[in-house]
């Protein structure tokens, strides 16, 4: 079967953005590289595998909530709205909304170019009457897409608690910046992971099969593959800890011994035990998140959770 037509827009970061951010991240103290660089094709596939893990309750819990509330979301959304997904990944969860909403068009936005193309082609095959658009773009930067047209009403979908990968100030700034994109008559559906027992959280980011470790270490593999970095992958290990006071998981690559990463003629010395921060994953109470959304200018209109209150899905009005 031939691949269905998808309108593809390409605005993704270039190799030089990755290089500049890695250089900056290795030179600063504490060392840190932003989590958006996890997502090359292999990183996106590893993340999809994480979503299937027994310990990673987030995905299946959010799916369960969405299954229950999709009808209500559809009633709140403008008729004929364009459904826009931020960080669309495998475009799996959105199927629950597509089934309930039957929107006129879907725009998937993701930073992982090849993965985005494959996922949206699969989706277009399964929804032959849907106009599918895909934009390879970094939505933390201003979006300059020619689609959707300014006249189109939108339902913006930001699932998976990806908002948790920004600190609280960055989250507020990002949400505020997205408000004009959502638009006055639009709706914003956002999945947010909730604070809970630390053992459950720790297990979710330290799975027994080591998939999260491979996902974390893939950042180093990407530096080797794409930037020609000279480094020993086996010299680093995955660490994820829950900081209860800050309400967040912090993920690191920890140097097992004194060693050097060489990159484009520069040398970065790591001492034994030194950490490279790769991701934070903030957790909220429902009230904390609603207050954050209100500070960013939204009206929290509805919220759904699972019976065990592990995860929440919010409907915000811009
Ligand atoms: C994409 N993001 C919301 C995931 C999270 O839970 O913070 C990424 C992830 N990192 C480790 N496991 C999953």
């Amino acid at each position: 079967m031939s691949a269905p037509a998808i309108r593809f827009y390409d605005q993704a970061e270039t190799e030089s953005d990755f290089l500049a951010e890695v250089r900056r991240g290795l030179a600063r103290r504490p060392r840190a590289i932003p989590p958006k660089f996890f997502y090359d094709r292999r990183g996106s596939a590893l993340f999809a595998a994480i979503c299937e893990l027994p310990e990673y309750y987030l995905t299946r819990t959010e799916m369960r909530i969405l299954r229950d509330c999709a009808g209500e979301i559809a009633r709140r959304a403008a008729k004929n709205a364009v459904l826009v997904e931020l960080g669309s990944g495998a475009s799996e969860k959105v199927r629950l909304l597509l089934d309930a909403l039957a929107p006129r068009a879907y725009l998937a936005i993701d930073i992982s170019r090849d993965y985005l193309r494959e996922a949206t082609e699969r989706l277009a095959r399964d929804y032959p009457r849907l106009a599918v658009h895909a934009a390879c773009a970094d939505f933390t930067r201003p979006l300059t897409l020619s689609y959707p047209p300014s006249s189109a009403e939108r339902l913006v979908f930001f699932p998976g608690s990806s908002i948790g990968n920004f600190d609280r100030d960055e989250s507020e700034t990002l949400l505020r910046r997205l408000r004009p994109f959502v638009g006055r008559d639009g709706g914003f559906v956002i999945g947010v992971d909730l604070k809970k027992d630390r053992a459950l959280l720790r297990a979710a980011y330290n799975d027994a099969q080591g998939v999260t470790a491979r996902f974390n270490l893939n950042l180093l593999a990407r530096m080797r593959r794409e930037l020609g970095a000279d480094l020993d992958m086996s010299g680093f290990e995955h660490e994820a800890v829950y900081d209860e006071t800050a309400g967040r998981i912090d993920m690191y690559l920890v140097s097992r011994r004194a060693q050097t990463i060489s990159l484009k003629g520069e040398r970065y010395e790591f001492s034994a035990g030194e950490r490279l921060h790769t991701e934070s994953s903030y957790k909220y109470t429902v009230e904390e998140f609603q207050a954050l959304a209100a500070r960013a200018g939204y009206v929290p209109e509805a919220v759904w959770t699972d019976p065990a209150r592990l995860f929440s899905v919010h409907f915000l009005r811009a």
Side-chain angles (χ1 to χ4, degrees):
M1 198 165 128
S2 66
I6 287 174
R7 293 294 303 274
F8 202 88
Y9 314 82
D10 206 332
Q11 284 200 335
E13 109 275 5
T14 60
E15 183 190 304
S16 63
D17 288 331
F18 183 33
L19 176 61
E21 296 241 28
V22 169
R23 273 189 165 138
R24 202 178 10 252
L26 290 178
R28 55 172 282 205
R29 294 292 190 283
R31 300 186 202 257
I33 296 176
K36 66 183 177 184
F37 294 111
F38 282 138
Y39 300 97
D40 64 347
R41 184 201 241 128
R42 181 164 161 71
S44 297
L46 282 166
F47 179 62
I50 288 175
C51 293
E52 305 280 316
L53 291 169
E55 297 94 333
Y56 198 73
Y57 60 86
L58 288 82
T59 311
R60 63 172 178 277
T61 310
E62 186 178 33
M63 296 276 274
R64 181 174 162 194
I65 298 170
L66 284 170
R67 224 167 264 131
D68 288 346
C69 70
E72 209 178 315
I73 290 174
R75 279 192 291 283
R76 287 171 189 273
K79 293 254 169 315
N80 232 3
V82 174
L83 178 55
V84 181
E85 184 174 14
L86 304 174
S88 51
S91 283
E92 282 299 331
K93 291 171 194 160
V94 76
R95 290 167 185 250
L96 297 168
L97 292 187
L98 290 172
D99 294 342
L101 244 80
R104 66 173 186 185
Y106 167 60
L107 167 64
I109 303 178
D110 203 279
I111 202 166
S112 190
R113 184 180 294 104
D114 297 338
Y115 199 79
L116 170 69
R117 200 183 277 281
E118 289 159 11
T120 48
E121 279 175 4
R122 266 197 314 275
L123 189 96
R125 238 172 257 136
D126 295 344
Y127 293 82
R129 283 209 289 275
L130 180 70
V132 178
H133 300 250
C136 180
D138 177 357
F139 60 77
T140 64
R141 297 187 175 180
L143 291 169
T144 54
L145 300 168
S146 55
Y147 187 84
S150 52
S151 58
E153 284 167 336
R154 295 125 195 244
L155 182 69
V156 177
F157 182 43
F158 191 22
S161 204
S162 294
I163 191 70
N165 295 140
F166 301 90
D167 72 27
R168 295 185 207 280
D169 287 346
E170 288 167 347
S171 298
E172 193 180 320
T173 305
L174 175 62
L175 292 181
R176 186 176 299 110
R177 209 169 47 65
L178 287 169
R179 256 183 80 216
F181 182 76
V182 176
R184 280 187 149 272
D185 301 314
F188 195 177
V189 176
I190 180 164
V192 182
D193 196 18
L194 296 177
K195 286 182 171 166
K196 60 184 62 66
D197 174 57
R198 58 185 305 139
L200 254 174
L201 281 166
R202 213 180 311 122
Y205 293 82
N206 291 284
D207 65 280
Q209 295 169 55
V211 185
T212 311
R214 290 203 287 285
F215 172 72
N216 199 4
L217 285 158
N218 180 56
L219 184 64
L220 298 177
R222 213 189 149 184
M223 283 160 56
R224 280 211 314 204
R225 266 196 312 270
E226 292 179 32
L227 307 179
D230 184 11
L231 59 90
D232 175 12
M233 299 252 315
S234 66
F236 289 88
E237 66 189 355
H238 164 74
E239 182 178 87
V241 289
Y242 185 54
D243 179 336
E244 193 141 22
T245 313
R248 62 165 195 253
I249 290 279
D250 282 316
M251 220 160 78
Y252 302 95
L253 290 163
V254 186
S255 181
R256 293 178 194 265
R257 51 182 166 72
Q259 59 182 321
T260 306
I261 294 182
S262 300
L263 177 65
K264 308 270 185 211
E266 284 154 37
R267 290 167 61 81
Y268 302 92
E269 311 289 344
F270 279 75
S271 53
E274 191 174 349
R275 290 155 142 188
L276 167 62
H277 179 268
T278 51
E279 184 183 69
S280 288
S281 203
Y282 282 79
K283 310 301 171 187
Y284 291 87
T285 64
V286 164
E287 296 71 26
E288 279 170 351
F289 184 75
Q290 287 182 329
L292 179 107
R295 284 199 300 279
Y298 293 82
V299 178
E301 234 187 53
V303 59
W304 302 273
T305 65
D306 54 299
R309 288 183 83 84
L310 297 178
F311 200 90
S312 60
V313 174
H314 298 250
F315 190 100
L316 310 176
R317 227 19 115 176

